[in-house]
Amino acid sequence: MFLAWSEIKKNKLRFLLITSILLLVSFLVFFLSGLANGLASMNREAIDTWNVDAVLLTEESDKSLYESALNKEVADELDAKETAVVSQMGAIANNGDTKQNVMLFGIDREEFIKPEVSEGDPTFYVQNGVVASDVLKDEGFKIGDTLELSSSDTELTIVGFTEKARFNASPILYMKLNDMQKIKFGDAYTMNKDVVNAVVVKDKDWDTLSLPDNTEIIETETFIENLPGYTEQNLTLTYMIYFLFVISAAIVAIFLYVLTVQKISMFGLMKAQGISSAYLARSVVAQTFILALIGVVLAFGLTLLAGSFLPNAVPIMFDIPTMILYGLILIVVAILGAVISVWTIIRIDPLEAIGG
Amino acid sequence: MVLELRNAKKTFGEGNTLVEAMKETNFLVERGELVAVIGPSGSGKSTFLTVAGGLQSPSEGQVIINGKELSQLNEKQRSKVRLQEIGFILQASNLVPFLTVDEQLELLNKVKKDNMSKDEQRKLYEDLGITKLHKNYPSDLSGGERQRVAIAKALFSKPSILLADEPTASLDSDRAFEVMELLRNETKSNQTATIVVTHDVRLIKYVDKVYKMTDGVLKLESTAEKDLGLTE
Ligand SMILES: Nc1ncnc2c1ncn2[C@@H]1O[C@H](COP(=O)(O)OP(=O)(O)OP(=O)(O)O)[C@@H](O)[C@H]1O
Ligand SMILES: [Mg+2]
C-alpha cells in the first residue's frame, strides 16, 4: 500500500521502534511456547512413544500411576487388543561420578512398550541390565556403567540407551520386570511379585471394555493431565502466552493511536480533498500488518537461532505448527490493536483540519 | 454553470451565542470564470468557501455542484464529489509530510482516475517553478515552495472547480503575481470555475469578478478592477 509504505520509509526510526517491540514480544511468545512444549515433552514423551489409547489403574489411585497397585493378571482379564504391564519405582542412580533422579520401569520382555534401543544391546533383557533414557548421556552416563541405587543394594548395569524416554520429568531406566520387583519389594518379593502399577492398553474401543473389580480405565491424555504438576505447569505457561497476546495488542494500540493523533490534521486535509476514510483506514491496517509481519518473522528466525545455541539442559522444544499459529495470532492481535486508530480516523472532521 | 449557492446560509450556535457567519447568499460561478472574494478577517470568507466546497453543510439553502445538490448526498458521496470535482488550495499547507513532491501527486493517482499525464505534470512543474524540487519532502521546502506544490496538487487532478483560500499568502509579490497568472491561465484553458479568497487587492486585476464579504453578507463588488477603488 502506497501511503503505508511511503510513511514507513520516511519515518524509519519510529517504525523500527514499534517493530522491535513487537519482535521482542513475539520472541517471548515463541520462546515460552517452546518451553511449554519442552516441559510437556519431559513429562509425556515416554507415553507418547508407547502410543497407547488408555491406561488401567486402580479406582482408589485417583488416576495416579504411583498410587495404583494391581495384579498383573488383570491384563489378561481385560479383553483388549494389546496390553502391557508397567511396574514403576523412583530412585537415585549413582554411577560413581554423578547422582541422578531416575524412574525405573519394569516391563515384560514381549511387551510392545519395550524400548527401541538406539545404542547398545538391542536385546537388553539381561539380569539387572537397564536401557536408559539417552538424556543421561549428557550427564556422563555410559554403556557399561554400574549404577548404585539409593534404596537397594542391587547394582544395575547400563546395556543400552533409548530416545524419548522421560516420564514426569525423570529419565527412565527400562528393565526386566522380575529384577525390578525384587528391588522394589525386597523381602516381600515373593508375595508381591505380580503387583504392578498399571496396565497400558492399545485398543481404540477401550471405553467399551468390561473392567475387573476396583479398576478404572482412562484415556491416555487424561492420564497425562493427571501427572503431578503437568497441568499446572502447562496452564501457567499458556496463560503467560495469552497475556502476551493482550500485551502486544495494547502496545500496538497505544503506539498507533499516538501516531494517529499526531496526524489528525493531515488526515483531515486528505479527507477534505476527498480521499476516503476507508482508504486511510486501510493504509493504517496495512501498515500494522507490514510491521507485525516483519516483527513476527524476525522473531521466528531469532527464536530458532537462539534455540540452537541453548545447552541441552534447557528443556526447549520448538513445535513449528504451534509457532506458526501463535505468529498468526500475534499478527491478528496487532491488527486488532489498530482498530482504535481506524475509529479515530473515521471520526475526523475534515473541516477542523482546515481551520479558518 | 458549475457551482451555485441558492439561499444558502450558515449559522453557528443558538440563542444568545448565535453567529450568522454567512447570511442568506445567492452565488453562481461559471466554467472558465475566475472570481475573488475579499473581506476583513472574521467576515465569513472561509465559511463561504467551505460551504461551497461541500466541507460543511449550509444551515439553510442549497449548494449545487455540476447539477448535484449536495444536501441530497451522504458524507461518502460528498467526499467523492470533492475528490472528482474540486481542487483545494488551503490556508494551511495541505501537503502530506512523509511524501515527496512527486508522491503527493502520485497519491492522487492511487485514489482517482483522469489526472494529468506525465507531460502535463512536467509542464505544470515548470509553470510553477518546482521542477527541481520534485524529490523533496515538504520539510525541505520554503513556505512559498510548499504553497506552489499545494497548487500543483490541486491542479493535478484536473478539477472543474478550484477553491483557494489565501493561495498567495506566503509568497513574495512577484511569485504572487505569477501564481495568479497561472490560476488565470488554468481557469481559462481548462475551463475551471475558480474562487480565490484573498486579502491582497493588487491581485484583483487578474480576476473576472470581485465579491466582497462583510459581516456574512456577500456582495458583487465589480466586474473590473478600475471600478473598485478598494482599500483593505
Ligand atoms: N465552527 C464554528 N463555530 C462557531 N463560529 C464559527 C465557526 N466557524 C466560524 N465561525 C465564526 O464565523 C465567522 C466567520 O468566520 P470565517 O472563518 O469564515 O472568517 P474569515 O473571513 O475566513 O476570516 P479570516 O480572514 O481571518 O480567515 C467568525 O466570526 C467566526 O468566529
Ligand atoms: Mg479564513
Side-chain angles (χ1 to χ4, degrees):
Chain A
M1 189 131 269
F2 175 73
L3 205 56
W5 189 239
S6 303
E7 187 180 11
I8 294 175
K9 273 193 316 202
K10 179 79 206 307
N11 300 317
K12 289 193 189 72
L13 185 68
R14 198 177 286 185
F15 289 104
L16 195 71
L17 269 175
I18 184 169
T19 308
S20 49
I21 293 171
L22 276 174
L23 187 150
L24 291 175
V25 174
S26 312
F27 183 79
L28 199 54
V29 165
F30 290 147
F31 218 80
L32 283 178
S33 87
L35 195 64
N37 197 37
L39 287 173
S41 139
M42 277 175 78
N43 277 294
R44 61 183 294 164
E45 66 181 17
I47 311 165
D48 286 338
T49 311
W50 298 344
N51 195 19
V52 294
D53 298 302
V55 180
L56 184 81
L57 300 163
T58 52
E59 236 167 1
E60 63 268 35
S61 72
D62 194 24
K63 304 185 175 65
S64 163
L65 177 77
Y66 311 121
E67 304 305 324
S68 171
L70 33 81
N71 194 299
K72 69 176 191 178
E73 314 276 77
V74 299
D76 302 325
E77 274 178 56
L78 206 63
D79 194 21
K81 288 208 181 77
E82 273 187 283
T83 56
V85 298
V86 175
S87 184
Q88 168 280 338
M89 168 190 178
I92 310 280
N94 183 352
N95 70 348
D97 297 325
T98 320
K99 285 184 189 141
Q100 177 70 37
N101 216 327
V102 295
M103 202 154 289
L104 300 180
F105 270 37
I107 58 174
D108 259 338
R109 178 203 291 273
E110 66 279 13
E111 283 180 344
F112 67 87
I113 63 172
K114 193 182 125 187
E116 293 265 350
V117 177
S118 61
E119 191 181 321
D121 181 6
T123 62
F124 73 99
Y125 224 65
V126 296
Q127 175 98 38
N128 288 330
V130 296
V131 167
S133 163
D134 63 356
V135 297
L136 287 176
K137 287 198 281 188
D138 293 334
E139 308 295 329
F141 288 79
K142 297 179 301 295
I143 288 178
D145 275 4
T146 309
L147 305 177
E148 280 174 17
L149 294 182
S150 49
S151 51
S152 161
D153 293 336
T154 314
E155 288 189 337
L156 306 177
T157 312
I158 298 181
V159 297
F161 284 108
T162 181
E163 288 168 6
K164 297 199 191 300
R166 283 175 299 177
F167 178 82
N168 210 178
S170 299
I172 294 177
L173 305 180
Y174 285 104
M175 63 186 293
K176 235 166 125 168
L177 182 61
N178 267 331
D179 292 356
M180 154 105 191
Q181 299 295 66
K182 279 178 196 152
I183 298 169
K184 187 171 176 180
F185 295 110
D187 294 340
Y189 164 70
T190 337
M191 210 168 76
N192 291 312
K193 67 178 168 41
D194 288 339
V195 177
V196 297
N197 293 78
V199 177
V200 293
V201 178
K202 212 182 213 181
D203 191 335
K204 292 275 171 273
D205 300 321
W206 57 270
D207 53 346
T208 61
L209 297 173
S210 62
L211 301 181
D213 290 345
N214 302 322
T215 63
E216 172 181 32
I217 191 159
I218 53 176
E219 195 178 6
T220 307
E221 203 53 44
T222 315
F223 174 72
I224 293 170
E225 278 161 15
N226 278 284
L227 290 176
Y230 178 84
T231 304
E232 293 81 349
Q233 198 175 64
N234 247 354
L235 280 183
T236 309
L237 289 166
T238 310
Y239 281 136
M240 281 169 88
I241 289 170
Y242 290 169
F243 200 65
L244 282 171
F245 289 148
V246 177
I247 290 177
S248 71
I251 292 173
V252 172
I254 293 166
F255 206 100
L256 282 181
Y257 182 69
V258 171
L259 289 186
T260 305
V261 165
Q262 284 178 348
K263 290 185 289 189
I264 280 183
S265 69
M266 183 201 86
F267 284 131
L269 286 165
M270 290 203 241
K271 283 173 84 164
Q273 251 168 56
I275 295 178
S276 67
S277 296
Y279 182 84
L280 300 174
R282 273 206 304 277
S283 159
V284 168
V285 170
Q287 219 164 45
T288 314
F289 178 77
I290 294 172
L291 300 175
L293 187 72
I294 295 175
V296 166
V297 167
L298 286 181
F300 194 93
L302 221 67
T303 310
L304 295 182
L305 193 73
S308 67
F309 283 112
L310 284 175
N312 281 347
V314 183
I316 279 211
M317 230 173 87
F318 296 114
D319 180 47
I320 303 292
T322 309
M323 285 173 77
I324 289 173
L325 176 71
Y326 285 168
L328 290 178
I329 293 177
L330 281 164
I331 291 173
V332 169
V333 149
I335 288 172
L336 286 182
V339 164
I340 305 175
S341 294
V342 166
W343 179 238
T344 309
I345 289 171
I346 290 171
R347 287 194 342 183
I348 293 173
D349 180 358
L351 195 63
E352 273 169 38
I354 286 166
Chain B
M1 104 243 107
V2 175
L3 172 63
E4 186 180 2
L5 272 70
R6 264 186 222 157
N7 305 324
K9 184 175 168 182
K10 184 71 187 178
T11 57
F12 296 104
E14 50 189 278
N16 284 339
T17 60
L18 185 104
V19 182
E20 285 194 298
M22 186 174 79
K23 305 225 168 73
E24 204 169 281
T25 301
N26 285 289
F27 175 86
L28 191 83
V29 60
E30 309 271 358
R31 281 190 167 276
E33 207 174 29
L34 176 61
V35 307
V37 174
I38 57 170
S41 183
S43 59
K45 302 184 299 294
S46 295
T47 304
F48 163 76
L49 205 68
T50 48
V51 168
L55 284 167
Q56 54 181 339
S57 303
S59 315
E60 286 171 30
Q62 297 167 320
V63 178
I64 301 153
I65 290 177
N66 290 326
K68 290 193 197 95
E69 216 270 88
L70 290 193
S71 65
Q72 309 280 353
L73 309 178
N74 61 29
E75 171 50 28
K76 200 175 165 188
Q77 290 164 322
R78 274 203 296 272
S79 160
K80 199 159 177 210
V81 169
R82 293 201 296 272
L83 185 65
Q84 301 293 340
E85 311 288 352
I86 304 177
F88 284 100
I89 304 165
L90 298 163
Q91 240 168 329
S93 166
N94 53 348
L95 301 180
V96 182
F98 51 79
L99 298 181
T100 64
V101 172
D102 277 343
E103 286 167 345
Q104 308 275 346
L105 306 197
E106 183 61 22
L107 175 62
L108 287 168
N109 273 337
K110 302 280 174 194
V111 294
K112 176 182 177 294
K113 289 199 230 13
D114 300 325
N115 300 305
M116 282 189 177
S117 67
K118 281 280 164 229
D119 282 342
E120 288 171 308
Q121 184 182 341
R122 207 170 301 130
K123 171 92 172 36
L124 181 68
Y125 279 9
E126 267 166 36
D127 290 346
L128 286 164
I130 54 171
T131 308
K132 288 203 177 109
L133 307 172
H134 70 112
K135 281 204 149 60
N136 286 29
Y137 287 99
S139 56
D140 307 328
L141 299 172
S142 74
E145 287 166 344
R146 243 173 269 170
Q147 193 65 8
R148 277 180 274 153
V149 174
I151 294 169
K153 195 171 161 181
L155 292 175
F156 179 71
S157 63
K158 294 186 173 176
S160 58
I161 299 164
L162 254 183
L163 301 180
D165 201 345
E166 301 280 1
T168 59
S170 48
L171 303 178
D172 59 46
S173 310
D174 287 348
R175 275 294 180 209
F177 292 144
E178 276 173 42
V179 163
M180 283 308 288
E181 191 97 42
L182 185 86
L183 286 177
R184 185 175 178 85
N185 289 342
E186 290 297 327
T187 303
K188 299 303 171 191
S189 60
N190 300 333
Q191 290 292 294
T192 52
T194 308
I195 304 172
V196 179
V197 165
T198 180
H199 276 106
D200 192 346
V201 282
R202 292 171 308 161
L203 304 179
I204 285 167
K205 62 182 173 213
Y206 295 97
V207 306
D208 302 315
K209 283 181 188 166
V210 179
Y211 287 83
K212 183 156 191 197
M213 187 65 116
T214 330
D215 289 333
V217 180
L218 189 72
K219 226 176 101 221
L220 180 64
E221 195 71 13
S222 170
T223 49
E225 184 205 9
K226 51 190 178 298
D227 306 332
L228 284 169
L230 280 165
T231 41
E232 267 291 300

